């Protein structure tokens, strides 16, 4: 009689963060083999982007990683601007930086809350959502939307910061670190959480590099690689922040990396508020009616550090108003490959911990 | 006065009023009328216990929801009835209305029976708990020499229901839930039994009534602190609430042994869990904190207060803690709880030998 049982985790399973399906072969409680199966949320974002004008592809970028939509927009916008040699006013770039960092906080909060649920902790979820709600209110005030913003435009942003919005950001930045401390302590002071996550889902640095893993996972495995530091875009070289690095490569260090990143993002937002210059928030040369006539030729790729890892859009223009090719380099897609080696030999209970520590968002994986 | 005689005398009064002397009815020389009265009496008692248990469950679920919501910055149920107190009733009606789904390949009989097995210990356990006295009426349904053994035997039934339900569902997640339930049982039940054994040694009796009376001066939690810790952890594990909710483990195995259950069957499992929480807190309050025996006066009030405290602690554990892994739980059971309970057995034996008169 066969000892190994094959179980399908997902695509409809409470802790697969969307529609991930993992084919798991189990020997008792031990995972012998795990293969992630993706493609349940394929929405053809790349091809759709190639069918419309340059600014119109932005809404598809929003829907990639819907919990960090501004980060996705930034990757596309930077590539397109590089393709067309568009100059962006300084104020717009600072605003972009601040919004992206706020969105990074929101994205990590979503992760932290759902990670708590996966570990069987019900309460931190609500605390994380409470904080995320404040970020979303800020976005609502400034961009007009709560989830999918369509806020960045070629040559700037669509609307300036409002005084009320700045006040809200200031209030958030001042109170958030204490609240984060509270949320972190729920996890970190819990003996059970530490026991369950330390040494679980290990990913060695060699494996991480071989699989193209980026973002918090790579930093938890011990490589200090953050595109905001290593290949600065926007004004990241002008602000002061640290890149957290841990060497264990387990779920616990990923948790620490992400929490520390939220703290650093808060620091960046604070500095942006101090340094924010006056001026235009978009390039007057590319006013809204002009955007649809913009032509691009050549190719460009600007890697950015999204909450999940390296995100970039490779754009080829053939001289018309429609991009010839849009190729999305999505971080979760690459990170998810490593799941099968992260899981081998661990127990079923570690599966949810490990998969949630990867933080896959399926709009982005399946594109 | 015993509850049995109390109900019996009421029955007698009613029959006397109706001029229907049932107790004088003999069938072939046997007092059949009296037997019928006994039977009716027993049914009334069980229904009474069931009603009290259900009332406690309703209150407990409401408190759980409100308390949890309060901790989590939510409002909780607030629509139905005053402060949302009728929410559970509405939920029950919703569950009753639902389609009764039994998986195609499931073992139908076992699948149907399992929820009731989970609910059984709530009733059986409540039967033998002494709730104290109301003037001369003693609130205890059954009293005999070996009530503690009966209680322990009743309490170990419910995991059986989980195993049966999981195995009969014909679902891999349910199967894993059942396996975990079985593993978990073995993990905590042995230390739990041994800590109960040390109680028996200390009180010198198998009767819960005697155990309660032995705690007149010092509650057993003081000499038995190690045993209390073991028993308390075992009680948490027995209810399968976080951190030991392995059979159900919501996020790993979809919902463990109860994956395939829906509608009222799921409702009964849910009620059984909360009912068991009530039973467990009453049992802990009785065995280790003297139940109705308390400072200043002995009353039902004391056992209510004590068990309410434990219910809140159970709820807090549910709300605040994460889930342990199954191997960690077994480690805890076999490597720590078992030696601690044996040590506790030794200590209580020594106490019984040298200070035997104290209790």
């Amino acid at each position: 009689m066969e000892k190994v049982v094959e179980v399908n985790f997902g695509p409809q399973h409470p802790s697969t963060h969307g529609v991930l399906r993992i084919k798991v072969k189990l020997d008792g409680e031990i995972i012998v083999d795990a293969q992630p199966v993706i493609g349940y949320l394929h929405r053809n974002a790349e091809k759709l982007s190639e069918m419309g004008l340059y600014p119109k592809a932005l809404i598809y970028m929003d829907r990639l990683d819907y919990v960090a939509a501004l980060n996705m927009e930034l990757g596309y916008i930077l590539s397109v601007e590089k393709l067309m040699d568009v100059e962006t006013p300084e104020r717009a770039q600072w605003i972009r930086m601040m919004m992206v960092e706020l969105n990074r906080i929101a994205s990590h909060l979503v992760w932290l809350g759902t990670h708590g649920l996966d570990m069987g902790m019900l309460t931190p979820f609500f605390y994380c959502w409470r904080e995320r709600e404040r970020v979303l209110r800020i976005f609502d005030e400034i961009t007009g939307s709560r989830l999918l913003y369509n806020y960045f435009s070629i040559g700037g942003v669509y609307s300036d910061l409002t005084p009320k919005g700045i006040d809200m950001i200031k209030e958030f930045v001042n109170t958030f670190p204490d609240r984060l401390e509270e949320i972190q302590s729920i996890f970190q002071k819990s003996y059970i959480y530490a026991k369950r996550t330390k040494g679980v889902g290990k990913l060695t640095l060699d494996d991480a590099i071989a699989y193209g893993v980026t973002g918090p996972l790579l930093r938890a495995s011990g490589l200090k690689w953050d595109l905001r530091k290593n290949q600065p875009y926007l004004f990241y070289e002008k602000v002061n922040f640290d890149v957290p690095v841990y060497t264990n490569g387990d779920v616990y260090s990923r948790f620490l990396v992400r929490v520390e990143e939220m703290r650093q993002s808060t620091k960046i937002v604070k500095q942006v508020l101090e340094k924010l210059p006056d001026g235009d928030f978009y390039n007057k040369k590319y006013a809204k009616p002009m955007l649809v006539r913009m032509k691009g030729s050549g190719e460009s790729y600007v890697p950015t550090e999204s909450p999940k890892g390296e995100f970039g859009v490779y754009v080829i223009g053939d001289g018309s108003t429609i991009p010839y090719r849009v190729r999305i380099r999505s971080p979760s897609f690459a990170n998810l490959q490593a799941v099968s080696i992260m899981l081998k030999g661990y127990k079923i209970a570690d599966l949810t911990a490990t998969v949630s520590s990867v933080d896959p968002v399926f709009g982005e994986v399946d594109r | 006065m015993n509850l049995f005689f109390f109900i019996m005398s009421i029955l007698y009064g009613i029959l006397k009023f109706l001029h229907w002397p049932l107790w004088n009815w003999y069938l072939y020389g046997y007092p059949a009328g009296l037997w019928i009265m006994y039977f009716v009496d027993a049914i009334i008692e069980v229904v009474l216990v069931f009603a009290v248990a259900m009332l406690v469950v309703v209150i407990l679920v409401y408190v759980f929801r409100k308390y949890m919501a309060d901790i989590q910055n939510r409002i909780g149920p607030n629509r139905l009835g005053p402060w949302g107190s009728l929410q559970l009733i509405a939920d029950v009606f919703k569950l009753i209305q639902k389609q009764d789904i039994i998986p195609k390949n499931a073992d139908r009989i076992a699948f149907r029976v399992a929820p009731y097995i989970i609910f059984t210990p709530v009733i059986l356990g409540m039967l033998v708990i002494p709730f104290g006295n109301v003037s001369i009426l003693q609130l205890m349904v059954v009293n005999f020499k070996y009530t503690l053994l009966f209680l322990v035997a009743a309490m170990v039934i419910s995991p059986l229901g989980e195993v049966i339900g999981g195995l009969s569902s014909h679902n891999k997640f349910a199967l894993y839930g059942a396996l975990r339930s079985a593993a978990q049982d073995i993990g905590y039940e042995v230390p739990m039994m041994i800590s109960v054994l040390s109680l028996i040694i200390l009180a010198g009796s198998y009767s819960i009534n005697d155990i309660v009376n032995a705690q007149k001066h010092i509650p057993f939690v003081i000499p038995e602190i190690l045993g209390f810790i073991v028993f308390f952890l075992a009680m948490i594990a027995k209810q399968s609430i976080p951190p030991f909710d392995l059979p159900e483990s919501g996020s790993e195995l979809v919902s463990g042994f109860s994956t395939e259950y829906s509608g009222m069957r799921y409702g009964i499992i849910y009620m059984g869990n909360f009912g068991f929480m009530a039973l467990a807190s009453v049992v802990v309050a009785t065995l280790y904190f003297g139940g109705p025996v308390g400072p200043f006066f002995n009353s039902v009030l004391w056992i209510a207060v004590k068990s309410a405290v434990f219910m809140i602690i159970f709820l807090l554990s549910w709300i605040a803690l994460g889930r342990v892994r199954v191997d960690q739980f077994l480690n805890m059971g076999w490597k720590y709880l078992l030696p601690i309970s044996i040590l506790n057995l030794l200590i209580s034996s020594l106490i019984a030998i040298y200070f035997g008169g104290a209790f």
Side-chain angles (χ1 to χ4, degrees):
Chain A
M1 201 172 138
E2 189 77 39
K3 264 178 81 182
V4 175
V5 183
E6 193 175 304
V7 180
N8 273 313
F9 272 82
Q12 287 164 334
H13 185 275
S15 62
T16 51
H17 296 259
V19 284
L20 172 63
R21 172 174 158 217
I22 306 177
K23 281 202 281 186
V24 195
K25 287 188 177 133
L26 294 168
D27 179 10
E29 288 254 345
I30 293 166
I31 297 167
V32 181
D33 185 31
Q35 292 299 330
V37 182
I38 58 169
Y40 291 92
L41 201 64
H42 180 62
R43 291 173 301 184
N44 218 353
E46 289 177 1
K47 196 66 194 167
L48 284 171
S49 307
E50 290 158 17
M51 289 165 78
L53 305 165
Y54 277 100
K56 287 191 176 178
L58 202 61
I59 58 160
Y60 302 118
M61 299 301 144
D62 263 338
R63 282 148 183 79
L64 288 179
D65 180 356
Y66 35 80
V67 295
L70 285 174
N71 286 280
M72 302 292 111
E73 289 181 17
L74 184 75
Y76 177 72
I77 286 291
L78 286 181
S79 282
V80 171
E81 283 180 352
K82 195 181 166 198
L83 185 76
M84 299 173 174
D85 293 325
V86 173
E87 279 191 8
T88 319
E90 271 201 14
R91 183 177 171 83
Q93 299 210 26
W94 283 105
I95 292 174
R96 279 179 185 177
M97 210 164 102
M98 184 173 71
M99 299 299 268
V100 161
E101 290 307 319
L102 282 174
N103 213 334
R104 189 188 307 279
I105 294 173
S107 167
H108 280 342
L109 280 172
V110 171
W111 172 79
L112 192 56
T114 48
H115 181 60
L117 281 187
D118 288 343
M119 309 304 289
M121 300 161 109
L122 304 174
T123 305
F125 177 77
F126 291 92
Y127 292 173
C128 291
W129 244 245
R130 178 189 69 196
E131 296 310 307
R132 176 172 180 258
E133 181 64 28
R134 292 165 72 204
V135 183
L136 294 191
R137 292 243 165 102
I138 292 168
F139 286 152
D140 192 13
E141 171 65 25
I142 292 170
T143 71
S145 312
R146 284 166 55 86
L147 192 68
L148 306 168
Y149 311 104
N150 199 9
Y151 179 60
F152 297 161
S153 69
I154 299 169
V157 294
Y158 271 119
S159 58
D160 203 357
L161 298 180
T162 56
K164 194 188 164 198
I166 291 177
D167 286 347
M168 286 165 85
I169 293 172
K170 273 181 184 156
E171 202 228 326
F172 174 76
V173 170
N174 289 333
T175 51
F176 180 65
D178 292 342
R179 304 263 180 99
L180 183 62
E181 193 72 42
E182 185 191 40
I183 298 169
Q184 189 185 359
S185 69
I186 298 175
F187 287 92
Q188 221 168 347
K189 287 182 183 170
S190 166
Y191 180 74
I192 294 169
Y193 178 78
K195 263 275 182 198
R196 274 203 56 186
T197 50
K198 275 183 184 163
V200 166
K202 275 218 169 192
L203 185 66
T204 59
L205 185 55
D206 293 341
D207 282 339
I209 292 169
Y211 275 85
V213 170
T214 47
L217 269 75
L218 186 61
R219 266 163 263 148
S221 287
L223 185 65
K224 193 167 185 174
W225 180 259
D226 189 325
L227 290 166
R228 292 175 294 173
K229 278 271 192 228
N230 297 61
Q231 297 176 17
Y233 50 97
L234 297 177
F235 289 130
Y236 276 114
E237 72 266 44
K238 288 190 184 174
V239 289
N240 180 19
F241 67 99
D242 301 325
V243 178
V245 178
Y246 291 86
T247 48
N248 286 334
D250 54 4
V251 178
Y252 192 70
S253 11
R254 284 166 209 155
F255 157 75
L256 290 175
V257 165
R258 287 203 173 92
V259 169
E260 190 55 34
E261 267 185 34
M262 279 194 257
R263 216 161 268 143
Q264 298 302 330
S265 290
T266 323
K267 220 164 117 185
I268 294 173
V269 173
K270 253 184 200 167
Q271 292 173 46
V272 172
L273 279 177
E274 286 165 12
K275 294 181 179 174
L276 194 65
D278 289 333
D280 289 338
F281 61 90
Y282 68 101
N283 196 336
K284 289 271 162 64
K285 243 167 76 185
Y286 307 103
K288 274 172 204 168
M290 279 293 296
L291 288 177
V292 293
R293 294 187 212 155
M294 296 185 68
K295 297 184 173 93
S297 60
E299 53 186 68
S300 76
Y301 174 76
V302 181
T304 60
E305 185 73 28
S306 91
K308 274 89 187 169
E310 179 185 333
F311 174 79
V313 182
Y314 181 66
V315 186
I316 304 179
D318 57 354
S320 68
T321 53
I322 293 171
Y324 173 74
R325 178 78 175 103
V326 175
R327 168 74 173 87
I328 298 159
R329 196 273 179 206
S330 56
S332 298
F333 177 74
N335 293 354
L336 210 58
Q337 296 178 77
V339 160
S340 65
I341 53 165
M342 280 195 271
L343 284 177
K344 217 161 277 175
Y346 292 100
K347 304 209 166 45
I348 310 176
D350 301 331
L351 184 137
T352 52
T354 309
V355 170
S356 88
S357 79
V358 173
D359 191 13
V361 171
F362 279 81
E364 182 198 40
V365 175
D366 296 337
R367 301 197 287 280
Chain B
M1 187 161 62
N2 205 329
L3 194 65
F4 181 81
F5 290 118
F6 181 69
I7 295 170
M8 205 64 180
S9 53
I10 292 174
L11 262 181
Y12 178 80
I14 292 170
L15 291 174
K16 189 110 184 162
F17 179 74
L18 295 173
H19 299 292
W20 190 26
L22 192 63
W23 54 91
N24 282 337
W25 182 48
Y26 284 84
L27 201 64
Y28 306 117
Y30 294 108
L34 213 57
W35 288 354
I36 290 172
M37 279 174 75
Y38 285 162
F39 188 66
V40 170
D41 191 336
I43 286 174
I44 288 173
E45 278 177 348
V46 170
V47 167
L48 211 66
V49 168
F50 184 75
V52 169
M54 277 335 310
L55 189 72
V56 173
V57 166
V58 168
I59 294 169
L60 193 56
V61 171
Y62 177 72
V63 170
F64 170 62
R65 285 177 171 176
K66 275 294 190 190
Y67 186 48
M68 192 169 183
D70 196 39
I71 287 180
Q72 296 173 347
N73 288 309
R74 298 184 285 125
I75 296 168
N78 68 340
R79 294 285 149 157
L80 218 59
W83 305 292
S85 53
L86 298 179
Q87 184 65 43
L88 183 73
I89 316 276
D91 284 347
V92 168
F93 274 105
K94 181 199 76 179
L95 287 176
I96 289 172
Q97 285 173 10
K98 283 200 165 187
Q99 189 192 355
D100 180 28
I101 301 169
I102 299 176
K104 222 181 194 174
N105 294 322
D107 185 341
R108 295 178 75 88
I109 296 170
F111 188 83
R112 286 182 182 188
V113 165
Y116 303 106
I117 297 178
I118 292 172
F119 196 81
T120 317
V122 181
I123 309 295
L124 286 184
M126 288 287 187
L127 289 179
V128 293
I129 304 279
F131 284 97
N133 296 334
V134 175
S135 73
I136 54 160
L137 173 64
Q138 194 189 7
L139 291 179
M140 187 179 190
V141 179
V142 185
N143 191 5
F144 55 99
K145 257 184 172 174
Y146 303 105
T147 40
L148 186 56
L149 287 185
F150 181 82
L151 179 70
V152 170
M155 283 202 300
V156 298
I157 292 175
S158 73
L160 192 68
E162 293 178 356
V163 173
I164 290 174
L167 288 179
S168 63
S169 294
H170 198 263
N171 176 316
K172 281 171 187 166
F173 290 113
L175 174 69
Y176 270 96
L179 289 179
R180 280 187 180 190
S181 180
Q184 183 172 334
D185 278 356
I186 301 165
Y188 66 78
E189 247 160 36
V190 176
M192 189 188 94
M193 299 290 184
I194 292 174
S195 54
V196 167
L197 191 64
S198 51
L199 278 183
I200 294 168
I201 288 173
L202 212 55
S205 165
Y206 285 100
S207 155
I208 298 180
N209 225 353
D210 292 347
I211 288 175
V212 168
N213 289 333
Q215 302 179 60
K216 234 171 234 162
H217 307 295
I218 309 167
F220 275 171
V221 68
I222 293 168
E224 292 268 308
I225 183 73
L226 294 175
F228 168 67
I229 291 168
V230 170
F231 192 79
F232 191 73
L233 288 176
M235 277 296 123
I236 291 181
K238 207 150 189 40
Q239 298 165 55
S240 45
I241 60 172
F244 305 136
D245 58 338
L246 296 169
E248 260 180 271
S249 42
S251 55
E252 294 153 25
L253 316 168
V254 179
S255 129
F257 74 93
S258 62
T259 304
E260 292 289 355
Y261 282 95
S262 61
M264 203 50 219
R265 285 184 220 291
Y266 175 73
I268 291 168
I269 292 175
Y270 190 77
M271 295 266 189
N273 283 346
F274 273 95
F276 203 94
M277 184 187 280
L279 175 68
S281 46
V282 169
V283 166
V284 172
T286 309
L287 295 186
Y288 286 95
F289 287 83
V293 175
F296 312 123
F297 57 93
N298 300 343
S299 156
V300 189
L301 200 67
W302 272 123
I303 195 168
V305 169
K306 284 168 188 171
S307 46
V309 168
F310 284 108
M311 281 174 206
I312 294 292
I313 294 174
F314 286 141
L315 293 183
L316 255 180
S317 134
W318 188 329
I319 293 162
L321 295 175
R323 186 184 311 115
V324 300
R325 219 188 299 146
V326 64
D327 56 324
Q328 288 167 351
F329 179 79
L330 294 180
N331 263 348
M332 189 194 81
W334 289 110
K335 282 191 189 161
Y336 300 102
L337 293 192
L338 188 62
I340 287 175
S341 59
I342 289 173
L343 182 71
N344 180 58
L345 184 65
L346 267 174
I347 292 172
S348 41
S349 315
L350 287 177
I351 292 174
I353 291 168
Y354 291 106
F355 309 98
F359 298 104

